[in-house]
Structure formats: structure tokens, C-alpha cells
């Protein structure tokens, strides 16, 4: 009686799908590591639930965070997701490096199948669930403030995007506890990920996690683009927008056009696996190259989705901490647009080794080299911005300088790989791994960390600890060079990617150096959290309530820190490219409103968290063939959307009296604060009121 009942209820699930049971039945170091990771997820989740319950904060979290439509809080939650997933993916990277260092003519401690899961989850998390949430969170928080808007164009859609991403990230974490993840790499290439070669649940976890994330990202792109087009304050023409807004706009356009090919690719692969279609199989008309074209029609624009927001951060940081107007603004705008367009012309360089004609290879090789030109324009403009400026070597500026040096080295290796014959030689080696980490770590991670240190005071009202910020910066930079520069040597020597074991003793010293680098990178992550802890502990000494700790020029610095829910008591009018700096020079940076008006803001909604949870539940049911659960989750998702369409009370009114009270309290802080110069901006005397210098 129970035999047909079990698969009807639990689908493909069996007790051996639990890592704890596998570790008990098949005792090995590899299985113990897997069980430990799963246990950490379970214990960590329970610890968070118990702590929040003990503190009695569930009502606060639900009201102020989970159901909020405030773009600022949504941005913060995106960044929290990014930090959580960064922690997991970096630990996995360390495990892979330790395995390779230990497996030189030896089995090592991680089994081949487990190692393949590690490199798949590491790549998938870093691209889809660390980098994407980090940059989306930064855009979410900063861009509406910079254009003088109260919120994004579609606040509810913004919340849905967040919670779909959170649901997808949750699905990735669940795969540590129930079942195994894919071994097909972060690109999920068929036919290996087809049923014939991968009948387990791993590819299904990958398909549905990536699909949920890509849907959320597509909606974010639409939301950001409409916000920039339609929500700019009076006087904010396109050519008066901050560079971060320009890079956000181009990133949004890339999201709109690059994410659908990924969604189509995962949907077609799902049809192959679930309904017996043959889009990408080895037989019955399937063609894997269709998948390769789809995945890289997304994949190469994705590189610039990741890097363009960081370019915007560097533009803001370098201008602010050089105490100069950004040099070559127009050329930077043109370069940004050129990169966005050219990013769709180079995808074929990802399969120079797959047999297309020499003419096609030549065209895409030239296009690959051409995309380096607008990037070079940016580097020169940033250098000229610093030239004869009063450069302050704050933590955000240090990340920017490290980026420029390291990114140029990575770009040179990109030019090498743009030659099809050279790419053919090193495409499947660690040389390529070194190259793309050489672009993405300084290009994306350093940029987001620079932005994190730069805008943190605006978001939370107190500065991050400078000393621990410098320690973390040093670990990130030293760890990067130790971990990835040896890979160029190993790749040139012929060491292949994704190798669980190594059979060339000459590789030993380079693998040891890379292993040490991985440990230094792990210490960088630890010191980043220490910096946050120390900053929270000492927050009273580092408060900047006035809101302008760096003497910057954008609108986001002209309001309190943290900003009120409505951002601006009165929507500003812009007359030049650095509006707040211009007002400071004119001697009237904080003009008092003539009158206050009531402000309508979007009311909280449970639609976002409901759709995120239901999307994850539906995906989990599809992964395990629990059809009842998948059907229930899908039906509930549709019902949630229909129910929301009947909601009428979708706004809350902030009375003019409350707006006036909040604004006047802030103006009293301005009167109490002492203007400070750039030399002492890192000391407790900095309360966020910058001294205007000639």
C-alpha cells in the first residue's frame, strides 16, 4: 500500500538524498564535508529563527522589511542576499583550491562528483546569486536618489523581483540539504545535462534556480529603465545624470535584451528533461549548438551587466575623492553606450574551439578586440580625473585604484584570447579561468565593495570603520594576486579547467601559492564582516546624520542619512551636472522648503514575499517530481496575482505635518554640526556636514 503512495507524495526523494544519511552509509571525507555543509545550512537557519523569535522581531521584520516597497530597503535586502551567497561560494572556491593542491598524484579529499558540484555551484552562485543581487541592490538604492525620485517606477514589481531572486537563492541553499546539485558547470551545457547523462535532480535544481533569478532580473531591468526615462526630477536631462545612472541605464537595457535568451535556454532544456523534447539532445534532431548560442547571447552581455554598474561606482568614487569634476563626462557616456552595443557582437568568441569557419572566427575576434577601446577610454578619463586632484586614499578610492591596475592586466589577457588560434590553445585551461576572474573580481567585486563603503553612511547613517576596511582591502588584493596569477602559468603549462586531480608534479608550487591565495581571500571575507561588526559597535562615534560625509556632488548627499521613506521633502530642481556641489559653492546647499505637502507612497504588500516563496515551492516540486506540490505552488501563485489585482488601498499618505517634523529635525542636526574639511573626514568630528573648499 505504501509503495505507490511514497512516489505520489515524495516523488523522487529517497533517504539517500540526505547528505547526513549518505555520510553515515558511505563514510568518507568528501561525504562528511557535504553533510557538514548541509548541517550548517540547517543549524544556521534554525539559529536565525530562534534568535529573531527570542528578540521578538518577527512583526518588525515583516512590517518594515519583508513587505516593504521602499526601494532603499529592497536594495539593502539584495545586498544581504549577495553577502550570504558570497560566503558560501568563496568557501567552495577554497575547497576546490585545497583539493587541487592535495590531489597531485593523489586522490585528495573531495570525490570527483562532489568536486564537479562545487565548481558548478561556485560559478552559478557567483554569477547569478552574488554578483547580480549586489549590483541590483546598489542600483535599487542609489539610482532613484541620484535622479531626485521618490521611488522606482513600479515599486510592487521591484519587490517581486527581489523575492523571486531570494526564492532562487533559497533553492540553491536547499540543494545542500536535500539531493545533489548539477555537475554540468554554471552554463549547464547539454547534452551532458540531458536525462541520458544526468538523470539526477542536480540539473533540475540549476534550471529552476536560474529561471527564477532570470525572471526577477528581467523585471528589474524594465523597472530601472522606465524609472530613469520617466522619473527624473525637473532639470535632470540625460546629459546631467550622474555616471552611475548612465551605467545603470545601459545595464538595464542589457538585462531586458540579454536575460530572455537565458530564460528560453533553460525552458527548452526543461522541456527536454521533463517532456521528452529534443531541442539539445544527440538524436532526433537535437542540436546542442543552439543552446550554446542562446546561453552566450546572454552570457557575454552578462559580463557587462556585471561590470558596467561597477564602472559607474568608480566614476562616482574617483571624482569625489579626487575633489574634481569627472573628466571627459561625454566620452564616458559614449563609451558606456558603445560597450552596451558591442557586448551583443562578441558571443561567438566563447566557442572559437567548436569548429566554425575561420572567417567567422576572424570577425568575432576583431569585435572582441574592438570592445576594449571604449573600456580604455574610461581608464584614461579616470586617470585624468585624478590628475592634479586632491586625491584622498579612502577605502573606496583604494578599491578603485586596485581595480584600474588589475583590470588593465586582465584586459591584456583578453586581447590574447581574442586571437582564435591562441584561444584554441588555452581555452580549456586555467589560463581562461585566470582571465575571467581577472576581469570579474576587480571589475565587479572591487566595484561593489567600493560602493558598499562609499554609500553605507548614506544607507545607515554612520561610516564604516576605516582601519578594518583597509585590512579587508589588503586581503582582497593580495589574495587575488596570489590565487589567480599562478593560474596563468598553470594554464600556459597545459593544466585543464575543472580538474579534480593533477598528474603533473611541476604544477605543485603554483597550486600551493594559489591555495594560500584562496585562504587570504577567505580572510578578506572574514575581515569584511569584522569591519561591519566593529562599525555597528562604534556607530555612535561615526554617525553622519547631516548626510554628506565625503563632500560629494550628487543629489543623494543633499538629504539626511539615512534618508526618509519619501527621499526628498520637496522634489529638487537640477541646473547642472553636480547639482549639490553647485549649491554648496553658491552658499545655499540646504534651502528650506517654502511649504510642506503630504506625500503619497506605496503601501506595504505581501505579494512579493508570497510570490517568492510560492515560486521556490513550485520549483522544488518540479525538481523532485512532487507534482501535487508544483501544481499547488503554481495555482497559489496565480491566485496571489489575481488577489492583488483587486487591491485598492495601495498607497499610504504621509501627512505634511510629519514631513515637516522630520525635515525640521534634520535641519537642527545641520545647525549643530561643525563643517569639516577633507583631511579629517575619517574622524568622529565628521557628522556629515562637509566644508566647502575653493
Amino acid at each position: 500500500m505504501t509503495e505507490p503512495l511514497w512516489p505520489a507524495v515524495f516523488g523522487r526523494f529517497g533517504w539517500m538524498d540526505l547528505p547526513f544519511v549518505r555520510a553515515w552509509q558511505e563514510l568518507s571525507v568528501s561525504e562528511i564535508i557535504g553533510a557538514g555543509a548541509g548541517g550548517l545550512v540547517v543549524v544556521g537557519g534554525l539559529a536565525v529563527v530562534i534568535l529573531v523569535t527570542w528578540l521578538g522581531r518577527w512583526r518588525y521584520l515583516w512590517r518594515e522589511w519583508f513587505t516593504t516597497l521602499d526601494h532603499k530597503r529592497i536594495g539593502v535586502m539584495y545586498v544581504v542576499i549577495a553577502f550570504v551567497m558570497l560566503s558560501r561560494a568563496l568557501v567552495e572556491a577554497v575547497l576546490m583550491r585545497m583539493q587541487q593542491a592535495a590531489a597531485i598524484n593523489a586522490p585528495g579529499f573531495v570525490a570527483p562528483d562532489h568536486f564537479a558540484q562545487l565548481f558548478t555551484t561556485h560559478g552559478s552562485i557567483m554569477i547569478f546569486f552574488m554578483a547580480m543581487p549586489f549590483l541590483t541592490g546598489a542600483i535599487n538604492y542609489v539610482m532613484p536618489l541620484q535622479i531626485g525620485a521618490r521611488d522606482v517606477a513600479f515599486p510592487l514589481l521591484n519587490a517581486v523581483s527581489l523575492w523571486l531572486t531570494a526564492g532562487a537563492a533559497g533553492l540553491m541553499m536547499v540543494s545542500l540539504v536535500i539531493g545533489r546539485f548539477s555537475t554540468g558547470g554554471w552554463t549547464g551545457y547539454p547534452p551532458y545535462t540531458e536525462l541520458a547523462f544526468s538523470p539526477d535532480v542536480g540539473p533540475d535544481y540549476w534550471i529552476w534556480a536560474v529561471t527564477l533569478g532570470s525572471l526577477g532580473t528581467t523585471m528589474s531591468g524594465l523597472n530601472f529603465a522606465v524609472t530613469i526615462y520617466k522619473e527624473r526630477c525637473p532639470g535632470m536631462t540625460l546629459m546631467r545624470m550622474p555616471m552611475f545612472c548612465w551605467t545603470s541605464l545601459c545595464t538595464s537595457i542589457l538585462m531586458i535584451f540579454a536575460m530572455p535568451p537565458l530564460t528560453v535556454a533553460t525552458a527548452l532544456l526543461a522541456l527536454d528533461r521533463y517532456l521528452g523534447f529534443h531541442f539539445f539532445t544527440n538524436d532526433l534532431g537535437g542540436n546542442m549548438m543552439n543552446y550554446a548560442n542562446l546561453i552566450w547571447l546572454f552570457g557575454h552581455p552578462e559580463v557587462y551587466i556585471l561590470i558596467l554598474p561597477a564602472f559607474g561606482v568608480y566614476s562616482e568614487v574617483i571624482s569625489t575623492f579626487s575633489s574634481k569634476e569627472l573628466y571627459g563626462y561625454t566620452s564616458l557616456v559614449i563609451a558606456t553606450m558603445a560597450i552596451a552595443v558591442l557586448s551583443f557582437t562578441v558571443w561567438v568568441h566563447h566557442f572559437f574551439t567548436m569548429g566554425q569557419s575561420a572567417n567567422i572566427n576572424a570577425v568575432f575576434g576583431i569585435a572582441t578586440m574592438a570592445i576594449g577601446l571604449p573600456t580604455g577610454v574610461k581608464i584614461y578619463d579616470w586617470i585624468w580625473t585624478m590628475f592634479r586632484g586632491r586625491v584622498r586614499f579612502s577605502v573606496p578610492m583604494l578599491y578603485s585604484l586596485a581595480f584600474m591596475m588589475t583590470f588593465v592586466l586582465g584586459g591584456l589577457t583578453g586581447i590574447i584570447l581574442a586571437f582564435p588560434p591562441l584561444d584554441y590553445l588555452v581555452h580549456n585551461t586555467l589560463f581562461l579561468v585566470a582571465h575571467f576572474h581577472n576581469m570579474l573580481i576587480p571589475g565587479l567585486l572591487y566595484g561593489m565593495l567600493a560602493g558598499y563603503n562609499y554609500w553605507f553612511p548614506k544607507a545607515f547613517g554612520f561610516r564604516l570603520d576605516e582601519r578594518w576596511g583597509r585590512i579587508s582591502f589588503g586581503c582582497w588584493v593580495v589574495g587575488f594576486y596570489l590565487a589567480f596569477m599562478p593560474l596563468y602559468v598553470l594554464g600556459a603549462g597545459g593544466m585543464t579547467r575543472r580538474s579534480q586531480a593533477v598528474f603533473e608534479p611541476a604544477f605543485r608550487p603554483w597550486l600551493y601559492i594559489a591555495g594560500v591565495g584562496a585562504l587570504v581571500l577567505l580572510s578578506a571575507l572574514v575581515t569584511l564582516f569584522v569591519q561591519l561588526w566593529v562599525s555597528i559597535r562604534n556607530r555612535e562615534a561615526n554617525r553622519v546624520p547631516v548626510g554628506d560625509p565625503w563632500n560629494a556632488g550628487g543629489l543623494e548627499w543633499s538629504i539626511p542619512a539615512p534618508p526618509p521613506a519619501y527621499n526628498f521633502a520637496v522634489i529638487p530642481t537640477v541646473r547642472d551636472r553636480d547639482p549639490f556641489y553647485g549649491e554648496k559653492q553658491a552658499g545655499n546647499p540646504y534651502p528650506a522648503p517654502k511649504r510642506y505637502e503630504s506625500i503619497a507612497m506605496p503601501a506595504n504588500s505581501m505579494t512579493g514575499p508570497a510570490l517568492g516563496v510560492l515560486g521556490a515551492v513550485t520549483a522544488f516540486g518540479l525538481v523532485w517530481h512532487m507534482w501535487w506540490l508544483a501544481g499547488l505552488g503554481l495555482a497559489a501563485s496565480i491566485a496571489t496575482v489575481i488577489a492583488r489585482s483587486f487591491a485598492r488601498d495601495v498607497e499610504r499618505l504621509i501627512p505634511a505635518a510629519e514631513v515637516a517634523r522630520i525635515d525640521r529635525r534634520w535641519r537642527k542636526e545641520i545647525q549643530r554640526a561643525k563643517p569639516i574639511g577633507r583631511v579629517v573626514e575619517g574622524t568622529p568630528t565628521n557628522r556629515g556636514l562637509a566644508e566647502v573648499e575653493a
Side-chain angles (χ1 to χ4, degrees), residues 197-273:
F197 299 100
S198 298
D200 205 353
V201 296
D204 299 317
Y205 266 124
W206 182 85
I207 286 169
W208 298 117
V210 169
T211 299
L212 283 178
S214 66
L215 290 173
T217 301
T218 305
M219 290 189 288
S220 291
L222 289 165
N223 209 346
F224 295 153
V226 174
T227 301
I228 293 172
Y229 286 138
K230 296 295 185 181
E231 301 293 322
R232 301 192 307 276
C233 66
M236 178 72 76
T237 63
L238 287 174
M239 293 307 289
R240 285 179 180 170
M241 289 199 308
M243 272 309 304
F244 184 76
C245 292
W246 267 110
T247 58
S248 299
L249 175 59
C250 290
T251 298
S252 304
I253 294 169
L254 291 178
M255 287 176 175
I256 294 167
F257 289 100
M259 300 310 295
L262 173 66
T263 308
V264 169
T266 55
L268 296 182
L269 184 59
L271 288 172
D272 278 10
R273 290 182 59 85

Side-chain angles (χ1 to χ4, degrees), residues 71 139-149 151-152 227 567-568:
H71 71 96
I139 295 172
N140 239 309
Y141 196 99
V142 176
M143 179 268 290
L145 296 177
Q146 288 193 328
I147 64 173
D151 209 319
V152 293
T227 301
N567 295 345
F568 301 91

Side-chain angles (χ1 to χ4, degrees), residues 337-382:
M337 292 190 290
I339 288 171
V341 173
L342 288 172
S343 69
F344 286 99
T345 68
V346 296
W347 82 94
V348 174
H349 75 213
H350 289 275
F351 32 98
F352 276 160
T353 61
M354 295 185 187
Q356 62 270 7
S357 72
N359 289 335
I360 291 177
N361 283 349
V363 168
F364 283 92
I366 292 168
T368 303
M369 294 180 207
I371 206 169
L373 296 176
T375 307
V377 168
K378 287 178 171 287
I379 296 289
Y380 280 111
D381 281 339
W382 292 325

Side-chain angles (χ1 to χ4, degrees), residues 283-306:
D283 58 355
L284 298 175
N287 187 345
M288 177 266 168
M289 284 305 299
N290 290 333
Y291 183 91
N293 278 283
L294 284 170
I295 200 74
W296 288 115
L297 274 171
F298 146 79
H300 204 83
E302 167 71 4
V303 172
Y304 295 98
I305 290 173
L306 301 180

Side-chain angles (χ1 to χ4, degrees), residues 632-673:
L632 193 63
L634 182 61
S637 299
I638 296 170
T640 300
V641 174
I642 294 172
R644 170 65 189 188
S645 71
F646 285 97
R648 291 295 176 264
D649 189 16
V650 295
E651 286 188 341
R652 61 188 177 95
L653 194 69
I654 302 175
E658 184 178 348
V659 175
R661 180 180 57 81
I662 294 171
D663 192 61
R664 286 167 183 158
R665 185 176 61 196
W666 170 58
R667 292 182 185 282
K668 289 180 181 178
E669 290 283 358
I670 297 173
Q671 293 169 1
R672 285 196 294 264

Side-chain angles (χ1 to χ4, degrees), residues 58-311:
W58 283 113
R59 185 183 297 273
Y60 165 77
L61 288 174
W62 179 257
R63 184 180 64 250
E64 299 296 330
W65 290 91
F66 295 164
T67 60
T68 186
L69 301 190
D70 185 341
H71 71 96
K72 299 181 292 298
R73 297 200 167 191
I74 286 173
V76 170
M77 286 189 281
Y78 265 117
V79 174
V80 169
I81 292 171
F83 275 129
V84 171
M85 301 308 282
L86 172 64
S87 302
R88 174 184 167 181
L90 188 52
V91 170
E92 290 173 337
V94 172
L95 273 175
M96 287 190 286
R97 283 286 163 261
M98 295 300 103
Q99 163 63 23
Q100 288 180 323
I104 303 168
N105 287 321
F109 56 89
V110 175
D113 185 72
H114 190 180
F115 186 86
Q117 291 178 61
L118 287 174
F119 74 68
T120 303
T121 52
H122 170 76
S124 300
I125 287 172
M126 284 298 198
I127 296 293
F128 298 111
F129 303 111
M130 188 286 289
M132 294 299 289
F134 214 150
L135 70 91
T136 306
I139 295 172
N140 239 309
Y141 196 99
V142 176
M143 179 268 290
L145 296 177
Q146 288 193 328
I147 64 173
R150 298 211 189 279
D151 209 319
V152 293
F154 308 115
L156 179 62
L157 191 67
N158 200 23
V160 172
S161 301
L162 165 72
W163 285 101
L164 286 178
T165 302
L171 202 63
M172 293 289 297
M173 300 304 283
V174 166
S175 71
L176 276 175
V177 182
I178 306 175
R180 294 178 170 89
F181 201 71
S182 174
T183 56
W186 78 269
T187 52
Y189 275 157
Y192 179 74
T193 49
E194 296 281 0
L195 276 177
F197 299 100
S198 298
D200 205 353
V201 296
D204 299 317
Y205 266 124
W206 182 85
I207 286 169
W208 298 117
V210 169
T211 299
L212 283 178
S214 66
L215 290 173
T217 301
T218 305
M219 290 189 288
S220 291
L222 289 165
N223 209 346
F224 295 153
V226 174
T227 301
I228 293 172
Y229 286 138
K230 296 295 185 181
E231 301 293 322
R232 301 192 307 276
C233 66
M236 178 72 76
T237 63
L238 287 174
M239 293 307 289
R240 285 179 180 170
M241 289 199 308
M243 272 309 304
F244 184 76
C245 292
W246 267 110
T247 58
S248 299
L249 175 59
C250 290
T251 298
S252 304
I253 294 169
L254 291 178
M255 287 176 175
I256 294 167
F257 289 100
M259 300 310 295
L262 173 66
T263 308
V264 169
T266 55
L268 296 182
L269 184 59
L271 288 172
D272 278 10
R273 290 182 59 85
Y274 283 81
L275 296 177
F277 284 49
H278 293 277
F279 290 109
F280 311 125
T281 59
N282 282 333
D283 58 355
L284 298 175
N287 187 345
M288 177 266 168
M289 284 305 299
N290 290 333
Y291 183 91
N293 278 283
L294 284 170
I295 200 74
W296 288 115
L297 274 171
F298 146 79
H300 204 83
E302 167 71 4
V303 172
Y304 295 98
I305 290 173
L306 301 180
I307 287 176
L308 283 178
F311 285 174

Side-chain angles (χ1 to χ4, degrees), residues 381-403:
D381 281 339
W382 292 325
I383 292 172
W384 281 107
T385 300
M386 291 186 290
F387 181 66
R388 292 185 176 176
R390 298 182 60 185
V391 178
R392 293 114 72 197
F393 295 102
S394 63
V395 173
M397 190 66 173
L398 291 174
Y399 278 113
S400 303
L401 293 171
F403 150 76

